[in-house]
Amino acid sequence: AKASEERRATRRGRAKGSEGKKRKMVEIGSTGVSFTKVAREWRCKYAMGKDGGPGTSEALTRAQALLNEYLPQLKGLAGAEVTRIVCGGCADFKVIVNQPAADHDTWKAKGYAPEEEFLGKLKAIEGITNVETQEFTCEQL
């Protein structure tokens, strides 16, 4: 119960957002871990191409095309920094939206739109597996 109260208090004390005001660093309990930004990650595994590599992967090609379709909407989120990570060895495809905490809370309250739609289309791509999401702090040090 105490930990839950601390998390709620931490959320209330988060950064003011991207409207140009100075952001307040929030600390996770008394750990020394502080942050102003929170990220949402969408990730999956893609099937390698016929030659065994990512360069001929139809699943990777289609995942990138899907991201291209949604990229303007993601970049339009308040304070959003959008990053794509692709690993050609382990077949990871990841999209990370990093925002000031207050802006992230606003996006979260709206159900992370267009997450559900994007992930539904991603799951429908042949060769895409292990579609997951994760939320974490992401702070440049």
Side-chain angles (χ1 to χ4, degrees):
K2 184 177 179 184
S4 181
E5 284 178 24
E6 286 178 6
R7 280 193 299 275
R8 282 193 297 276
T10 298
R11 285 190 181 115
R12 285 192 297 271
R14 281 187 178 163
K16 295 192 182 232
S18 61
E19 56 277 339
K21 298 178 184 173
K22 185 165 174 67
R23 293 187 238 298
K24 176 182 170 190
M25 293 291 279
V26 176
E27 188 171 341
I28 300 173
S30 59
T31 62
V33 176
S34 57
F35 64 95
T36 62
K37 294 187 173 188
V38 179
R40 183 74 171 176
E41 179 182 76
W42 303 339
R43 65 178 175 253
C44 66
K45 295 287 189 179
Y46 63 89
M48 293 293 183
K50 291 178 183 176
D51 65 356
T56 57
S57 171
E58 281 296 317
L60 178 58
T61 300
R62 293 185 62 203
Q64 180 60 48
L66 181 64
L67 175 57
N68 291 345
E69 178 185 334
Y70 282 87
L71 195 54
Q73 191 174 352
L74 296 174
K75 285 184 170 184
L77 294 168
E81 298 169 351
V82 182
T83 305
R84 185 213 53 231
I85 298 171
V86 175
C87 179
C90 67
D92 282 339
F93 181 86
K94 302 177 180 186
V95 178
I96 300 169
V97 179
N98 196 24
Q99 297 174 283
D103 294 331
H104 182 83
D105 285 345
T106 299
W107 186 37
K108 184 177 184 175
K110 295 177 181 176
Y112 299 113
E115 178 176 277
E116 185 177 340
E117 183 178 303
F118 179 90
L119 295 180
K121 290 180 178 181
L122 188 62
K123 289 175 184 177
I125 296 172
E126 186 176 342
I128 294 291
T129 59
N130 299 28
V131 176
E132 300 173 330
T133 64
Q134 184 174 354
E135 186 177 57
F136 49 84
T137 67
C138 187
E139 200 67 33
Q140 185 174 8
L141 303 177

